[in-house]
Amino acid sequence: MTATTSTVKVAIVHEWLEHYAGSERVVGELLAVFPQAQVFSIVDFLPKKERAFLGGRKVRTTFIQKLPFAKKHFRNYLGLMPLAVEQFDLSGFDLVFSSNHAVAKGIITGPDQYHISYVHSPMRYAWDMQAAYLRQSGLERGLKGLFVRWLLHRIRNWDVRSATGVDVFVANSRYIARRIRKVYRREADVIHPPVDTDAFNLPTAPADRGAYLVASRQVPYKRIDLVVEAFRRMPQRQLLVVGDGPENEKIRALAAGAPNIILKGKVPHAELLSMMQNARAFVFAAEEDFGITLVEAQACGTPVISFGRGGALDIVQDDTLSDTPTGLLFSEQTADAIVKTVDRFETIRDKISAEGCRENALRFSKAAFRSHITALTERVLTEGF
């Protein structure tokens, strides 16, 4: 195919448009690279105030958009989504990008079209996290649980089959590349998702760097409880906890009676930015596919102390692996491991510079993402796959 990124006819297929979050930021940056692209999505219920990244484009949706109660409960139609995504007519496009964490990669393309799938994650609840999903949803037993297990079995079979229609897999981290290899037996290029490093920058005044910071939605897998428990055991060190969510009552109970732990709740961007810029270190105990908040903290010049699994391995430069560290990684997801790593951080923190953290974060900037996507596309268009 003889074409360039500016002349090629491009379609971008997204799972669903409900809120502007991480995967939607990827779509926004793909549209910046391919301003001529058209957008397809299983459903589109994105609020007007969050649609700016679409640039006024009309989004083409599927029959699920018009099904009863779809606006609030479209996920209940998961069993129909493989069928729905296969109905998109993409025959007029040279290049199709699917933005996939569930079924988007199941689109049908022809032999003269290229299909590049940017994978945020293989479908977690259908693969290695099925047991946790069933447990948290109360579906371990009973007829409903049996039905859901059957449905996920069917989806897994379809998921593997539909992977054969992808020409090039792109993973958002080395961790996701390993999951793609495990599930689909395919290799993947790694292009990290775009982070708005311009919105998170170094402080203009000398930073306080007094308190540690954890900022996240308070849901079980984020393991904010471990961070709070660790700092209960370190009364001499202050911890700021930002965010809210279903685990909020549990977090409040754990923090009760610990004056060194301050619960801030959900805060505006400007306040979060100030806390990141002045944090002694950003503490993170979850296993994430990537970990955008880790990059945002690094962009503020702040060291990161993180659980050493998932995307954190791509982001944090541990002092055992780099002469210019930007933080530390701990190998066990426990409060004890956090305590030990914070103590170790205090002995090596002079080796970490704010400028070094910022430089590390720029590897994940919007500009870097666009450059990598452009290079990949040009390679595919000129050399094939």
Side-chain angles (χ1 to χ4, degrees):
M1 180 183 297
T2 302
T4 66
T5 54
S6 60
T7 63
V8 68
K9 295 179 181 178
V10 180
I12 297 173
V13 182
H14 191 53
E15 233 92 53
W16 48 72
L17 291 167
E18 183 185 24
H19 298 294
Y20 180 66
S23 60
E24 287 73 29
R25 294 181 188 187
V26 169
V27 171
E29 292 306 309
L30 289 174
L31 289 172
V33 177
F34 305 105
Q36 76 278 26
Q38 295 185 33
V39 179
F40 297 76
S41 180
I42 290 171
V43 295
D44 177 11
F45 297 118
L46 196 67
K48 186 176 180 180
K49 64 182 180 180
E50 299 180 23
R51 303 184 70 86
F53 74 101
L54 293 171
R57 291 174 180 80
K58 178 179 173 59
V59 177
R60 303 186 186 188
T61 58
T62 71
F63 65 85
I64 292 178
Q65 179 83 16
K66 297 181 180 180
L67 291 179
F69 312 111
K71 186 170 185 178
K72 290 187 177 180
H73 303 291
F74 65 85
R75 288 177 180 82
N76 290 346
Y77 293 114
L78 176 65
L80 292 176
M81 288 183 184
L83 172 65
V85 80
E86 290 174 346
Q87 305 314 304
F88 282 131
D89 180 4
L90 303 172
S91 57
F93 298 95
D94 305 310
L95 174 66
V96 182
F97 270 91
S98 59
S99 168
N100 184 85
H101 58 76
V103 300
K105 72 169 180 33
I107 52 173
I108 297 174
T109 55
D112 296 322
Q113 295 174 292
Y114 294 128
H115 175 191
I116 300 174
S117 186
Y118 188 94
V119 179
H120 309 282
S121 172
M123 210 180 309
R124 301 178 189 90
Y125 40 86
W127 291 100
D128 51 311
M129 294 184 70
Q130 175 184 277
Y133 165 74
L134 293 172
R135 184 168 57 252
Q136 291 171 10
S137 303
L139 295 171
E140 290 181 286
R141 297 178 178 85
L143 287 177
K144 189 175 180 180
L146 182 62
F147 170 76
V148 171
R149 289 174 188 274
W150 171 83
L151 176 62
L152 294 177
H153 170 73
R154 293 287 301 271
I155 286 176
R156 276 193 296 274
N157 290 340
W158 175 87
D159 195 28
V160 172
R161 184 206 61 74
S162 66
T164 62
V166 176
D167 298 313
V168 178
F169 274 106
V170 181
N172 69 356
S173 67
R174 289 180 295 167
Y175 173 64
I176 294 303
R178 293 197 301 275
R179 294 190 71 206
I180 289 171
R181 187 182 308 119
K182 180 74 172 181
V183 173
Y184 307 132
R185 299 300 177 186
R186 296 280 298 278
E187 297 301 316
D189 291 74
V190 175
I191 298 179
H192 299 110
V195 181
D196 190 357
T197 51
D198 291 337
F200 293 85
N201 41 44
L202 294 172
T204 55
D208 176 34
R209 304 292 182 194
Y212 289 83
L213 173 67
V214 57
S216 172
R217 179 159 169 75
Q218 294 175 357
V219 292
Y221 88 94
K222 293 288 188 179
R223 301 314 310 267
I224 309 298
D225 58 322
L226 294 182
V227 181
V228 171
E229 175 58 33
F231 278 83
R232 280 184 61 89
R233 304 180 193 178
M234 297 182 287
Q236 75 279 19
R237 309 196 196 286
Q238 189 177 68
L239 174 70
L240 303 181
V241 182
V242 173
D244 60 12
E247 292 268 284
N248 186 257
E249 287 190 19
K250 177 181 178 180
I251 301 304
R252 288 188 175 279
L254 283 171
N260 63 312
I261 300 173
I262 302 174
L263 305 181
K264 304 291 288 187
K266 190 174 181 179
V267 302
H269 171 77
E271 189 175 348
L272 174 62
L273 174 62
S274 177
M275 284 190 280
M276 277 191 170
Q277 290 174 330
N278 288 280
R280 196 168 186 84
F282 187 85
V283 187
F284 194 77
E287 179 178 336
E288 285 278 23
D289 298 332
F290 179 63
I292 287 177
T293 55
L294 304 186
V295 178
E296 292 170 344
Q298 297 266 270
C300 293
T302 299
V304 169
I305 298 171
S306 176
F307 180 44
R309 291 280 298 275
L313 292 171
D314 289 11
I315 299 168
V316 181
Q317 304 294 310
D318 188 271
D319 78 327
T320 61
L321 304 173
S322 173
D323 293 331
T324 55
T326 65
L328 291 178
L329 299 170
F330 51 93
S331 59
E332 295 179 357
Q333 205 173 25
T334 64
D336 284 342
I338 295 172
V339 170
K340 291 176 183 176
T341 308
V342 169
D343 287 342
R344 182 162 159 258
F345 169 76
E346 289 294 334
T347 68
I348 63 101
R349 61 186 297 266
D350 290 341
K351 295 170 61 177
I352 302 175
S353 71
E355 293 75 15
C357 291
R358 172 74 184 175
E359 184 178 353
N360 180 51
L362 293 179
R363 296 188 293 127
F364 311 100
S365 67
K366 291 182 178 180
F369 177 84
R370 294 180 189 182
S371 176
H372 293 316
I373 287 291
T374 299
L376 171 68
T377 304
E378 290 178 348
R379 188 193 84 199
V380 170
L381 293 176
T382 56
E383 301 175 10
F385 46 83

